[in-house]
Amino acid sequence: MWAMSAVGYRRLGAAGSAAAAAGGWAAGTLPTRDPWGIWVPHGPGVTVAATLLAYLGLTLLVVAWWGYGRAGSSVRHTLVTLGWWTAPMLLAPPLFSADVYSYIAQGAMVLEGHDVYGAGPSVLDPGGVGGDAAASVGGHWTDTPAPYGPVFLVLAQAVTLATGGTIVPAVLGMRLIAVAALALIVWALRRLARDRGEDGERGALWLGALNPLLLMHVVGGMHNDGLMIALMLAGVVLARRGRWVAGSALVGLAMMVKSPAAVALLFIGVIVGRAAAGRPAVHRVVKGLVGPGLVAGAVAAGATLLAGTGFGWLRTQSVAGTIHTALSVTSDLGLLLGELLHALLGTDPDPVKTAVQRLGLAAALAVIAYLAWRSARGRPSPVHALGLALVALVVLSPMVQPWYLLWGTTVVAATAWDGRAGRVLAVLSAALVYETAPSGATPWYGFALAAVVGAAGTVLVRRSATVRPDRTRVPAPRRAERHGARTP
């Protein structure tokens, strides 16, 4: 079977990342207006060529990532590879999503005193701070209130204030936040996987940080999910070290970026309860269930008061669910069932869709509770159960975007990157990175490419018992060097 050394895959992935970033300069999610004249359209011919270049680069990156997971390497080599693959995207325009323009516009709204939870970016003055960003926001988000917490909005406000809302520096400012989040994810993954040895630590970085889905959507697209994941993982690290109060506080901050981080509190509670094994059962249950929630709740309330944005985030958490995405199983089933009943009985399809979505969320909560109960009884570990719980939440949510898969994937990476769950998530990551075009659109061929890559990944996984590197080929430093594990 054709294969390269880890160094070869590193170079191939860097070339792919560079090609994807270069294609983004003409085919990325370009702003409607750029006063600097840097990120501007170049005509249909150039755009098509750039799109093909971006897809070629993306494919090279996916192939390199998959091969790198099978090649022998060290933790240090993996970290250097991460730097190689990240660097080409640092100065590129937004890739695969226009969400960063919403972030900047919402930061401008906070800066100007608008109610970011009561109105959308359309309230901004087109000629004022954030006006260019507001003009570049995706259509259905223009009048949509922010579903994000005040911690993230304050960061967006700071970027907007520092850059005056000018598109290029504002986007690059948001990318700095995304890169900082990636660095914190790396720190947390290494510590969560440390008890699995060098191979476990390297594997966690492979699935959780080198993952093309994360690189393209957190670094390239600057989705704030990266910051939520980073704070959540850091909180779990502290909780596992016995510092559950500080860990719960970090999860509280993560919740004030995006609310799904709240799931981690339940499993921090399991960690707390298991650590108090010698205490009465009532004490363990109360401390585990109540303690982390009280700490995170206090942090959330304090952050909201300090930010001055108000508690409107409590009512905007369902905003995203009103927007249909094809990856949401419950929304698709609800829509199909609603339209079927409408055709047969003439009933309104919307209440049927809403009911199915709520049933999906109820099922997700049941799965999460079951995983917590099982973890409290001994297996699986609280960290692994958290990863599975977040995956279940994504699968059963009323709105699903490709990068949502990262919520649980980064956690599972630290516990079972080479297990069944890790292999499934690796295949899904490789497939879903194709679902969104570099321009941020979701064309039909994106789903077709995702299906093809998913099928190919499934075949590769079935042919191999594991995606773990063959450790028999790298038993000693001298041979490891021949397989590319030598650090530069």
Side-chain angles (χ1 to χ4, degrees):
M1 181 178 176
W2 177 84
M4 294 190 297
S5 68
V7 169
Y9 285 121
R10 171 197 281 176
R11 292 169 178 166
L12 181 66
S17 178
W25 281 82
T29 312
L30 303 177
T32 300
R33 299 192 300 264
D34 174 15
W36 287 13
I38 297 177
W39 295 338
V40 294
H42 293 81
V46 175
T47 300
V48 170
T51 300
L52 293 175
L53 176 63
Y55 272 116
L56 173 62
L58 181 60
T59 301
L60 292 178
L61 181 62
V62 169
V63 170
W65 173 67
W66 194 268
Y68 193 86
R70 299 177 59 85
S73 63
S74 66
V75 170
R76 184 178 176 186
H77 192 276
T78 304
L79 292 173
V80 174
T81 300
L82 178 62
W84 277 45
W85 292 5
T86 301
M89 289 181 279
L90 295 180
L91 298 179
L95 300 172
F96 301 98
S97 174
D99 282 8
V100 69
Y101 300 125
S102 292
Y103 302 160
I104 297 167
Q106 288 159 358
M109 290 176 66
V110 175
L111 187 63
E112 294 184 354
H114 296 284
D115 181 8
V116 75
Y117 298 120
S122 61
V123 301
L124 291 172
D125 179 3
V129 175
D132 289 340
S136 304
V137 171
H140 50 257
W141 291 107
T142 302
D143 296 305
T144 302
Y148 312 121
V151 168
F152 180 72
L153 292 177
V154 167
L155 290 175
Q157 177 191 14
V159 169
T160 305
L161 178 63
T163 61
T166 306
I167 283 292
V168 173
V171 167
L172 297 182
M174 296 305 300
R175 184 163 279 138
L176 282 178
I177 295 175
V179 172
L182 175 59
L184 185 55
I185 288 172
V186 168
W187 176 86
L189 283 174
R190 294 188 64 185
R191 278 144 188 85
L192 289 174
R194 189 155 288 173
D195 56 356
R196 301 189 69 208
E198 172 88 0
D199 188 55
E201 195 173 331
R202 187 203 64 80
L205 292 174
W206 172 75
L207 179 59
L210 274 181
N211 194 321
L213 190 64
L214 185 143
L215 293 179
M216 289 299 164
H217 284 290
V218 171
V219 180
M222 292 155 284
H223 288 290
N224 57 8
D225 300 73
L227 182 59
M228 179 199 78
I229 292 167
L231 292 170
M232 179 184 70
L233 287 177
V236 173
V237 169
L238 294 181
R240 281 202 2 171
R241 292 179 174 179
R243 300 168 59 188
W244 67 268
V245 175
S248 300
L250 280 180
V251 173
L253 292 177
M255 290 163 50
M256 293 299 92
V257 176
K258 293 191 77 169
S259 59
V263 174
L265 294 174
L266 182 59
F267 295 92
I268 287 179
V270 172
I271 294 172
V272 172
R274 289 172 61 167
R279 306 297 293 274
V282 174
H283 174 86
R284 297 199 309 269
V285 171
V286 171
K287 185 177 180 180
L289 290 180
V290 177
L294 287 177
V295 173
V299 169
T304 301
L305 292 174
L306 289 174
T309 57
F311 288 84
W313 54 268
L314 290 170
R315 67 173 183 271
T316 61
Q317 295 307 301
S318 61
V319 163
T322 62
I323 299 171
H324 186 88
T325 55
L327 292 178
S328 171
V329 175
T330 58
S331 292
D332 291 341
L333 287 176
L335 180 63
L336 179 62
L337 182 59
E339 292 296 338
L340 180 62
L341 292 177
H342 175 71
L344 294 175
L345 305 175
T347 57
D348 186 355
D350 289 338
V352 177
K353 179 182 176 182
T354 301
V356 174
Q357 289 176 329
R358 289 176 178 173
L359 285 174
L361 285 176
L365 292 176
V367 171
I368 292 169
Y370 173 73
L371 287 167
W373 176 75
R374 285 287 306 274
S375 181
R377 291 175 62 87
R379 294 186 64 183
S381 71
V383 178
H384 187 63
L386 169 60
L388 297 178
L390 289 167
V391 172
L393 178 62
V394 171
V395 170
L396 295 169
S397 287
M399 178 183 176
V400 179
Q401 298 286 12
W403 54 93
Y404 288 6
L405 185 71
L406 296 170
W407 301 352
T409 298
T410 49
V411 185
V412 171
T415 60
W417 72 274
D418 52 352
R420 180 180 299 177
R423 294 195 294 270
V424 170
L425 292 172
V427 172
L428 289 175
S429 296
L432 289 178
V433 77
Y434 286 91
E435 193 261 349
T436 308
S439 64
T442 52
W444 66 268
Y445 56 80
F447 293 93
L449 289 171
V452 170
V453 173
T458 301
V459 170
L460 289 175
V461 165
R462 288 182 175 179
R463 285 183 177 178
S464 175
T466 176
V467 296
R468 180 185 300 177
D470 182 359
R471 283 182 280 178
T472 63
R473 293 187 300 168
V474 286
R478 180 175 297 178
R479 295 199 67 187
E481 289 179 1
R482 291 204 300 268
H483 284 272
R486 182 176 55 219
T487 52

